Amino acid sequence: MDILGLALIILLVLFGIGSIENRISRQDRRLARVEHKLDLVLGHLGLSEPEPWSDEINALLVEGKKIQAIKVYREATGAGLKEAKEAVDKLG
């Protein structure tokens, strides 16, 4: 009986974790859609928002620290490695 109870508790915990991960994933997708829409509105109005991390990335590029600049870009934007490298290459 103890093993069965423990197995049931483990299953409930795993189910709870899966449920939480699913909710977070949905919220991440919703947030990405809202950010995309906001970017479209800003573009339509001809407005741009300066990125607060761009100064740090530019300073790292001037110092020759391209890999560190890519890391900062990824942390700031959540971009993948390829996307971050391409963006930093355009800045540098």
Side-chain angles (χ1 to χ4, degrees):
M1 185 69 175
D2 291 331
I3 294 174
L4 182 60
L6 182 61
L8 182 59
I9 290 172
I10 290 172
L11 284 173
L12 289 173
V13 168
L14 291 175
F15 179 74
I17 290 171
S19 176
I20 291 170
E21 287 178 347
N22 187 24
R23 287 182 194 168
I24 290 172
S25 177
R26 281 188 303 197
Q27 291 299 337
D28 285 345
R29 288 191 307 269
R30 285 185 69 207
L31 179 59
R33 286 194 309 267
V34 169
E35 288 177 344
H36 177 70
K37 290 175 183 178
L38 182 57
D39 288 341
L40 290 173
V41 169
L42 288 172
H44 180 74
L45 296 174
L47 302 173
S48 65
E49 176 188 8
E51 303 294 347
W53 41 263
S54 62
D55 291 338
E56 182 180 2
I57 290 174
N58 288 331
L60 289 168
L61 288 173
V62 167
E63 295 173 10
K65 298 179 179 179
K66 184 176 179 180
I67 293 173
Q68 186 63 29
I70 292 170
K71 287 180 183 179
V72 170
Y73 185 90
R74 290 187 71 195
E75 290 171 3
T77 63
L81 181 59
K82 181 180 178 185
E83 181 184 348
K85 183 183 180 311
E86 291 171 355
V88 169
D89 285 342
K90 287 180 185 176
L91 291 173

